[in-house]
Structures are given as C-alpha cells and as structure tokens.
Amino acid sequence: MAINLLQDRGTALDQQRFTWKELVQKPISKLDDDAFTRIRVILMNGVELDALRLKQVLLRMNREARVPIAQLMRVEQHQATAINWMLSADHSPLETTIAYEQVAIEVTASVAQLEPDPYMAQGYRFGLLEDFDHLYRYSALMDRLEGKDANNIVQGYTDIVPGRPTLVHHRAPENELMEPYPRDAQLATKLHAITLVGGEYQTHDYYMNIGPVFADPVARLLYAEIASVESQHITHYGSMLNPDESPLEKLMLHEAAEVWNYAACAEQETNPRLKTLWERFLDYELGHFQVAMQLFKDTERRDPAEVLGDGKLPAFIQYKSQRDFVRKTLAEVPLRKDGTQFVDEDAEAVSSLAYRNHMNSQGSPSNSVSGGYQWTPGTELNRNMLPTTQPATA
Amino acid sequence: MDNTISTGMNRTGLDMAPLSKGTMVSFAQQEGQRAPADTEAMAELRKTYALEADRVGSVPVPAKLKGMASTMMDTLKGNKPSVLLDKLGERAAYERTGVRLYEALILKVSAASSGPMVDTAALMRIRDDEESHFHMVAKCIAELGADPTAMTPCADISGVAALGHLQVMTDPRTTVAQALNSILMIELGDNAGWDLLIELANDMGHTEMAQQFTVALETERQHLQTVQGWLRQAVLEEAT
C-alpha cells in the first residue's frame, strides 16, 4: 500500500525501543549477499548519521524543541548502529571503500534520472562522474596493495574505468557551490538533495577515520586526496538545500527523506532479514515524522502541506545497475565549474586552476596509484591471461 | 554453529554476472587507454616516503643499575643489548596475544555443534603453556633490568601482524578448521621466533636464559605438531 506522509502514523516514538542484542545482529555476507543489500546498508547509515547531525544543530537553535529532538536522536543513534553493524568484519577498509563508491555511483545515477529540475540533475551527473573515478582509483589501490579484485565487491553491476580524473576535482571553494532549490521546489528535489548530502558526509567521515589506519603512504595519500574531494561534494550537494527553509521545516523534510528512503529499501530488499529491518525502521520514521510535523505545526503555525504537498512519496531510488546511464554520462567528463554554473573545460574558473596547480605541484596521488591501471577480472596480474575483446558499445 | 562450509549463492565472481561479464571487460579494456601513463609513479612515491620515514619507536633504556651495568658490559663486548631486549619484548607480546588467541579458539570449539572437533582440554594445556612462556620471558626481561611492561618496537609490529589472526579467531562465523589454519601460522612464527631468540641469547652470553628458551621451543614444537594434526584431520574430515 502506498505510504502517505500526512496520513500514515507509523510506530509512536515512545514505543521505539532496542536492546544491545538488537543493535548487533548477524551481519550480511560479503560473499553471498547481493551488492545492493550492502549499498542500502551503507546509504541508510549515511542518512541516519545525517539525521543526527541535523538534530544536533537544531538542538542548539530551538529551546522549545530540545526534549523531542533529544528523544528522536536516541532512536536514530540506535537505528544507525543496527544498520552500520550489518557490515561484516571480513571487509577490509579498502573493500568497504569500494562499496562506498559503488553506493555513490549507483544511488546518484538513479537520483539523477529521477530529478525533475534539470539544473539539479546536472549537479548529480557532475558529482557522479567524480565518484565514478574514485572507484577506479581505489580499485587500482586495492589491486596493487592487497592483491584483490574490486569486482568481488561490485559484483558486475558497476564499471571500473576512469571518470572525470580525480586530479581535476580540486576546485576553489567558491566554485563548489550550487544554486539552492527554490522553496517551492517539488518534494522529490528536496528529498534527493537531503539523501545525497547524507551519503557524501558519511563517505567523507569514513575516509577521514580510516585514512590514517593504512601503513602504505600511497594509500594515506589517496585517502587524503579523495577525502578532500568528498568534503567538496558535501558542499556541492549541501548547497543545493535551500538556506531560507526554517530549522523545523528542515527537520520535517529530513524525516520525510528518511521515510522515503526506508520505503524504497523495504520494497526492493532481497535479504529477508534486512527487509524486516527496513520495514521496522520505516514505521519508526513515520513515527518520527509525526513528531516533526507536530513541532512544525505548533511552533511555526504553518500547514505541513505547504512543504509536503499532498503527502505522497515521490518515485523511489532504483537499486539496480545504472551502467547504461553512467556510460552515457561519461560524455560530460570535460564539464567544469565556474561559480554555481557548469562550463566547458576551457572556461573553468581561474581560481580553481590556481588552487589545483598548487595542490598537485608535488605530485598527484590519484594519478600515481593508477598509472597504467586497467581493471581486469581476477586483478591486473591476470591481464595477459585474457583475450583482447572488441570495443564495447556504450 | 554448523561448523562446516557449504556451497551456496556466492556472488563475488564475474561468472555470477553473465549478462554484464563481456561488456564490463571490453569496456574496461577500451577505457583503460585513459589510464595515467606513468607506471612508475607509485613505486617512486613509496621510495620517497621510505627514505624520509622515522622508525615506529625505540627500545626503552633499562632503568635499574644492574641493567645499566649489563648494558654497558655488552656494549663493551661490541653487542647491542637493545636488540635482545627488543626481541624479548616481542616474544613476551607474542605469547601474551597467543593466550588470547587460544582462549578465542577454545570458545569457538565449545560453540561448534557439528563438524570437526578438537579436544578442548588439550587446547587449554597449550593456552597455559603460552601463558607460562609469557611469564618466563617477562621475568628474563626484568632480570636484565628492563621493564617487561614496555612495548618494544618488535612487540608493536608483532601485534600489527597478529591483527588478522585475531579477526579470524574472534569472528563467530569462522569454522574451527579456519581458526586452526590461523593458529598454525601463529605456531610456525612462534617456533621460528624461539629458535632465533635462543641463538641471540647464546650469542650475547646469556646461556642460562638460552637454556630456558630451549625448553620453551621444545614445547612449541609439540604445539606445532598438534595443531598441524588437528588441521589435517579437520580438513580431511570435512572433505569426506
């Protein structure tokens, strides 16, 4: 049955409880579970962590909402834990990294196709081509550092080839910004941006935490470089959010984004245990949404329908290979930024060129790690064992 | 836990994606032409960092007078006692972690409901041997005037190397046979470690210490044989 934000009440907040055992359940199998199950796990952890992030800021800005915000955060902390602890311990940090980039590629590609605003859709395609390149660079690192094939993680769903070279992702901060969506933008536009910010934020934070875990200086360098780009991506997607929305409007929209995401996960999940989890958390989020909507009504004296329209959820992210779309998007590799606008390569803002030239002046980690690298099934040690095939049609 | 591995829906190989297999490989070959040209840059970076690197840390200077005297005497003989202290620190750390690895293995064996089994009483004896070796080495370090609670550089690095084994041993999903494979590597390293330590102690004139280590090595050789036997039996049993 289709969910309606204004009608479905979900599980009441005071009924949402956990035990430690529920937070730490049997993890998914790196070998046997579908890659899209892991993609959903990673994305939803990112969405929950962003929910916590937003609420911690709101807590500092809303005297009257402190108690309900604290109550919501307690549940969301535990939702994030239950989700993130689904990742099994046999994932090396690099394997998890490959999975993170697969999330960025497949989810962003789906969102880019769902997005009704052409400018925002361009913004998603722009970011997509950069995360696509990160997958290639990290795959080279994993092959050459750990002797592992990144396809063991991406399971044939995602191509492992260069995108827009990471070397040129480094832009001056002012060229990272996007124009925000208007306040009357479609709900889909708002939910897409909220979701992508959460995804990029957790990717950035993950790289910042595990970068120093590596002994290899090349790995430390590559994580430093790509963490910097992920920080840019947070700004890129974060600046899509309208800064004129009120804090409680943002809270309500974030809860709506969580409902929308869990509903998509529950609908498409293939692992029955995870499906049960997504369904439970969908009900929890509907409960959270009720609290946020009540705060919005009581404090701002505004009708939630102003923000949410008829309460129907927009079309869901499609958890399936977006290979064809990504290949077509590769034609946009030469695009660059000038302020909030997308421009041709030769019209890129001078400030970005100056910044980038200095950052790369002692070498480029992403280029160094991938010199001559071509993804080959079974690692590049297998390269001379494979026949040369005909060029693929994009 | 069902203590065996079975065939199932492993999705990691390219053969599990028959529709995308061909196009994925050919697209990678086609687009691989856009790879950066410099194939030596990665090695050059690693060399640069290797040349600039500091070491992980130092061997602490023995604080007690007796230790200082011994250190001075060995220095006069042209030896570096810090090498012996570092390797003693490594052995103590290795044996101490070994106790925890065997405790994890004992727990795993106790929780196994089917498949190859191992005698937990025998495992417990090995665990106790590792603990007594730890105490013995710690005593030797103290007798040299050094601090047995300090983490020496080799102790630190042996801890880094043990991380993977700890992951294998404490993951509830690993089988007894997989855990035995891991502990076999530990025992192989342990045997070689004791062997070297005996030679080093003799070389530096600590013959009494070397004699104690020889007894420990004999016990470790028995551990190695026992673990090898268990692993062989477990794998062959699972295969039939």
Side-chain angles (χ1 to χ4, degrees), chain B residues 29-66:
Chain B
Q29 288 178 347
Q30 178 186 313
E31 297 295 308
Q33 295 160 12
R34 293 197 289 122
D38 186 356
T39 54
E40 298 301 316
M42 189 171 176
E44 286 303 320
L45 262 180
R46 283 174 169 159
K47 273 186 218 160
T48 304
Y49 274 83
L51 287 170
E52 293 172 354
D54 299 324
R55 302 280 75 89
V56 297
S58 59
V59 179
V61 177
K64 291 180 186 170
L65 190 60
K66 185 184 166 191

Side-chain angles (χ1 to χ4, degrees), chain A residues 82-115:
Chain A
I83 294 166
N84 202 25
W85 266 235
M86 281 291 166
L87 291 180
S88 54
D90 49 345
H91 288 85
S92 72
L94 250 174
E95 287 177 312
T96 304
T97 298
I98 299 292
Y100 268 54
E101 294 298 346
Q102 188 181 29
V103 173
I105 294 161
E106 299 298 341
V107 169
T108 312
S110 177
V111 164
Q113 293 166 84
L114 294 169
E115 176 55 50

Side-chain angles (χ1 to χ4, degrees), chain A residues 186-312:
Chain A
Q186 291 186 36
L187 183 59
T189 295
K190 299 175 182 180
L191 303 190
H192 294 162
I194 290 168
T195 302
L196 264 289
V197 176
E200 293 291 337
Y201 229 122
Q202 76 153 347
T203 305
H204 166 265
D205 290 359
Y206 182 69
Y207 295 168
M208 291 299 284
N209 281 312
I210 63 154
V213 166
F214 286 87
D216 176 31
V218 174
R220 295 169 79 90
L221 281 163
L222 187 65
Y223 275 92
E225 183 183 8
I226 296 184
S228 175
V229 179
E230 301 302 351
S231 174
Q232 295 175 206
H233 285 182
I234 299 170
T235 305
H236 174 81
Y237 294 121
S239 62
M240 290 178 171
L241 305 175
N242 191 301
D244 300 324
E245 288 165 347
S246 72
L248 290 178
E249 188 175 348
K250 286 192 182 297
L251 174 68
M252 193 170 64
L253 281 169
H254 206 291
E255 295 299 349
E258 291 171 69
V259 170
W260 174 68
N261 273 299
Y262 278 120
C265 291
E267 184 187 79
Q268 296 170 64
E269 182 57 64
T270 52
N271 178 325
R273 250 177 355 100
L274 268 291
K275 192 178 180 69
T276 304
L277 188 74
W278 303 139
E279 286 168 347
R280 176 180 174 186
F281 287 177
L282 170 59
D283 280 339
Y284 278 22
E285 289 306 332
L286 284 164
H288 297 178
F289 182 79
Q290 288 296 319
V291 174
M293 192 163 61
Q294 200 59 49
L295 274 171
F296 181 77
K297 283 194 225 172
D298 294 347
T299 311
E300 303 210 357
R301 306 283 174 200
R302 287 167 62 196
D303 181 357
E306 271 180 45
V307 179
L308 303 164
D310 61 7
K312 283 184 188 162

Side-chain angles (χ1 to χ4, degrees), chain A residues 28 30-34 88-90 136-137 144-145 151-152 155-156 158-159 161-163 216-218 221 323 327 330 367-375 377 387-392, chain B residues 6-17 19-43 45-47 49-50 167 171 173:
Chain A
I28 61 169
K30 180 178 93 175
L31 309 183
D32 291 4
D33 268 298
D34 191 272
S88 54
D90 49 345
Y136 167 75
R137 310 292 161 174
R144 292 170 170 182
L145 180 65
N151 188 58
N152 291 158
Q155 297 180 1
T158 312
D159 285 321
V161 303
D216 176 31
V218 174
L221 281 163
R323 168 175 280 119
R327 286 188 184 183
L330 282 172
N367 256 22
S368 299
V369 75
S370 54
Y373 184 73
Q374 175 189 302
W375 172 77
T388 305
T389 53
Q390 294 300 310
Chain B
S6 56
T7 53
M9 193 61 186
N10 183 312
R11 297 171 197 263
T12 57
L14 199 56
D15 285 349
M16 288 301 287
L19 295 179
S20 52
K21 180 178 176 175
T23 181
M24 192 173 169
V25 174
S26 58
F27 193 63
Q29 288 178 347
Q30 178 186 313
E31 297 295 308
Q33 295 160 12
R34 293 197 289 122
D38 186 356
T39 54
E40 298 301 316
M42 189 171 176
L45 262 180
R46 283 174 169 159
K47 273 186 218 160
Y49 274 83
Q167 286 287 90
D171 191 331
R173 304 173 307 158

Side-chain angles (χ1 to χ4, degrees), chain A residues 27-100:
Chain A
I28 61 169
S29 167
K30 180 178 93 175
L31 309 183
D32 291 4
D33 268 298
D34 191 272
F36 277 101
T37 292
R38 180 172 45 223
I39 286 173
R40 284 182 283 269
V41 165
I42 292 171
L43 180 71
M44 293 318 297
N45 179 55
V47 170
E48 285 296 353
L49 293 180
D50 195 54
L52 285 169
R53 188 176 297 115
L54 173 68
K55 288 183 182 70
Q56 286 291 359
V57 174
L58 294 182
L59 189 73
R60 302 175 195 185
M61 304 166 68
N62 288 271
R63 180 174 292 279
E64 67 284 358
R66 284 157 49 96
V67 170
I69 285 174
Q71 289 167 335
L72 288 169
M73 282 197 293
R74 175 59 50 80
V75 177
E76 280 171 335
Q77 163 66 25
H78 292 157
Q79 284 176 278
T81 310
I83 294 166
N84 202 25
W85 266 235
M86 281 291 166
L87 291 180
S88 54
D90 49 345
H91 288 85
S92 72
L94 250 174
E95 287 177 312
T96 304
T97 298
I98 299 292
Y100 268 54

